[in-house]
Amino acid sequence: MLLISLFIATLFLAYSNGANDNFKGVATLFGSRTSSYETVILWATFTTFAGAVTATFLASTLIKNFSGQGLVPDAIANTPHFHMAVAIAAGLTVLIASLVGFPISTTHSLTGAIVGAGLVAIGLKVNFAALGTSFILPLLFSPIIAIFLGAGIYSLSSYINSKWYLPVNEKMIDTCHFISAGIVSFVRGLNDTPKIVSLILIIEYFSIQGGMITIAIAMALGGLLNSQRVAVTMSTKITSMNHTQGLSANIVTGVMVIAASWFGLPISTTYVSVASIFGVGLIGKKVNMRVFSQIVLSWILTLPTAAIISGITYRLLQGYKI
């Protein structure tokens, strides 16, 4: 019964992930009025699903034991109770953020959930040094870099255009924009699916490939049905943007996410995407500081919120036997 519950909880996490994350690669398409909401969410869903399915063919190299992330001993991290507490806590944290319209990091929700359950299980023996590498460093540095790059690329394109009066080919810009958005969504699906699937690998009836396809479907449904509030926040509330600004922000997101994946650096697609949009907004002097401050606060609260929910859930589950 507990293993069935773990499977359902992991599907819930995947659905929540889709609701909060699926739109992030295409937010600039909608925000710059390059395309309609219906078109961009379908593009995001298709490319994210394609990335998730591709992960099934690379499972041997992509699946890592994210269920403990070096924060707690394997003997604790690889139990159904622990996995279920992590899945429920991370899923609830991400879904709550989605319903109120805050784009947050699923990876950091998982990290917080691991810490919370770990503190209940082994107390202060949790590896807090690993927490600094997986949470604090990407939280501090990746948004700052993305802000400067977003502002820099848009400023450079504006300077070149004003200096040489180059004709703007809107169709070419929009095509590049769609391609970059698809690449970001594809890479996100490729990276996030194995992290979530790792939670159900202790269920013997599941193959890695079967688990990934199931998780991919749940992520796609979450994006299609519950991504509207996050879409509005990222596309219109941080700043208004034109086609060139939207493409500039998405280029930054794409380059940073792909580079981080290539070199194994722990950055968040969420932080990079939001910060690059904020960066181009700074140059246009149309940025909404209040909304951006609220988003940053939600990032800071992600880990403790997930940790509290996970700790309580793990304590409640300790009384149940498999």
Side-chain angles (χ1 to χ4, degrees):
M1 185 64 186
L2 185 60
L3 292 179
I4 295 174
S5 299
L6 170 60
F7 173 63
I8 295 173
T10 306
L11 287 183
F12 169 65
L13 171 59
Y15 181 93
S16 301
N17 171 271
N20 199 276
D21 284 22
N22 273 18
F23 201 83
K24 290 165 185 173
V26 298
T28 55
L29 282 173
F30 183 50
S32 61
R33 300 298 183 265
T34 299
S35 190
S36 66
Y37 174 81
E38 291 76 13
T39 300
V40 298
I41 192 59
L42 286 174
W43 180 235
T45 302
F46 172 76
T47 50
T48 300
F49 186 79
V53 171
T54 301
T56 66
F57 299 102
L58 304 173
S60 60
T61 54
L62 284 178
I63 285 284
K64 294 177 179 143
N65 187 17
F66 195 82
S67 56
Q69 204 185 25
L71 294 169
V72 296
D74 290 345
I76 299 293
N78 291 329
T79 63
H81 298 86
F82 192 91
H83 283 226
M84 189 169 173
V86 169
I88 291 173
L92 277 175
T93 303
V94 174
L95 186 62
I96 290 170
S98 302
L99 293 177
V100 297
F102 287 140
I104 65 171
S105 168
T106 299
T107 300
H108 289 163
S109 297
L110 281 166
T111 303
I114 293 167
V115 170
L119 285 172
V120 172
I122 59 173
L124 295 178
K125 294 180 182 179
V126 172
N127 185 354
F128 289 102
L131 177 63
T133 302
S134 62
F135 180 79
I136 297 175
L137 290 180
L139 176 61
L140 288 177
F141 293 112
S142 61
I144 296 174
I145 295 171
I147 288 172
F148 280 105
L149 287 178
I153 288 180
Y154 178 60
S155 297
L156 179 61
S157 65
S158 299
Y159 173 78
I160 292 174
N161 185 55
S162 63
K163 188 77 172 176
W164 286 284
Y165 301 101
L166 298 177
V168 177
N169 188 324
E170 290 286 351
K171 188 174 182 179
M172 178 69 73
I173 290 176
D174 292 348
T175 300
C176 292
H177 200 169
F178 261 94
I179 293 172
S180 67
I183 290 173
V184 173
S185 297
F186 179 89
V187 173
R188 196 196 70 75
L190 188 71
N191 288 338
D192 281 6
T193 307
K195 295 174 186 175
I196 299 174
V197 170
S198 69
L199 294 172
I200 57 172
L201 289 184
I202 58 173
I203 301 177
E204 295 179 358
Y205 307 104
F206 265 102
S207 66
I208 293 177
Q209 287 75 16
M212 283 192 171
I213 294 296
T214 306
I215 294 304
I217 293 172
M219 287 169 59
L221 287 174
L224 287 172
L225 300 178
N226 274 114
S227 63
Q228 294 90 340
R229 291 184 182 272
V230 171
V232 170
T233 298
M234 293 192 65
S235 301
T236 63
K237 291 187 176 181
I238 298 173
T239 184
S240 58
M241 55 185 134
N242 57 37
H243 292 219
T244 306
Q245 287 174 314
L247 176 59
S248 299
N250 231 50
I251 288 174
V252 172
T253 302
V255 169
M256 288 191 65
V257 169
I258 292 171
S261 300
W262 183 266
F263 292 106
L265 301 174
I267 74 167
S268 166
T269 303
T270 303
Y271 300 165
V272 170
S273 180
V274 170
S276 61
I277 292 172
F278 179 78
V280 299
L282 280 177
I283 300 302
K285 298 181 180 178
K286 296 179 180 179
V287 74
N288 189 327
M289 286 298 301
R290 182 179 64 85
V291 170
F292 183 69
S293 299
Q294 290 174 342
I295 293 173
V296 172
L297 179 61
S298 73
W299 294 348
I300 295 171
L301 293 177
T302 295
L303 191 142
T305 300
I308 291 170
I309 297 173
S310 181
I312 294 172
T313 304
Y314 184 72
R315 177 63 73 192
L316 293 174
L317 289 172
Q318 282 183 318
Y320 291 89
K321 302 295 182 183
I322 302 175

